[in-house]
């Protein structure tokens, strides 16, 4: 911020643009505050489903196992909950880095 204020190549426009960039940076940095609790809740639901597997019928267990292995995979949970408000990105993160 100090260098932007000193140089001001475009005058007040430089400071206005710097202010916008700082607000966007803070917005994305602070989004982690709600992401971590959401990730924790979804991971707990996944664990609960896995713990319940021995106590349900075989057909239900197979369906739950398939859901946990695909939709509730640990990497998918982290990717989707990180991109959740920015839904247009989730299609790029579902499969992970391949």
């Amino acid at each position: 911020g100090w260098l932007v204020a000193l140089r001001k190549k475009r005058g007040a426009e430089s400071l206005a643009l710097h202010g916008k960039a700082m607000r966007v940076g803070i917005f994305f940095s602070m989004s982690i505050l709600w992401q971590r609790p959401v990730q924790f809740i979804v991971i707990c639901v996944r664990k609960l489903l896995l713990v319940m597997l021995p106590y349900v019928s075989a057909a239900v267990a197979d369906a739950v196992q398939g859901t946990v292995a695909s939709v509730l995979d640990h990497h998918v949970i982290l990717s989707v909950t990180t991109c959740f408000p920015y839904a247009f990105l989730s299609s790029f993160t579902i499969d992970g880095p391949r």
Side-chain angles (χ1 to χ4, degrees):
W2 180 250
L3 286 175
V4 174
L6 285 178
R7 293 183 183 162
K8 288 192 276 188
K9 291 188 178 189
R10 294 191 186 118
E13 289 179 9
S14 293
L15 290 175
L17 180 60
H18 179 71
K20 288 179 183 178
M22 293 299 290
R23 284 191 294 276
V24 168
I26 289 171
F27 171 76
F28 283 110
S29 296
M30 299 307 282
S31 67
I32 197 74
L33 294 176
W34 67 268
Q35 287 172 3
R36 294 299 183 203
V38 170
Q39 288 171 350
F40 179 70
I41 290 168
V42 176
I43 289 170
C44 287
V45 167
R46 178 183 189 272
K47 182 65 175 176
L48 179 67
L49 289 172
L50 289 172
V51 167
M52 289 177 24
L53 282 180
Y55 305 106
V56 296
S57 68
V60 173
D62 287 341
V64 169
Q65 185 100 21
T67 302
V68 167
S70 59
V71 177
L72 291 178
D73 177 63
H74 186 72
H75 298 291
V76 173
I77 290 171
L78 295 179
S79 295
V80 171
T81 55
T82 299
C83 295
F84 177 66
Y86 321 107
F88 63 93
L89 293 177
S90 65
S91 61
F92 299 110
T93 60
I94 291 282
D95 255 348
R98 293 183 196 206

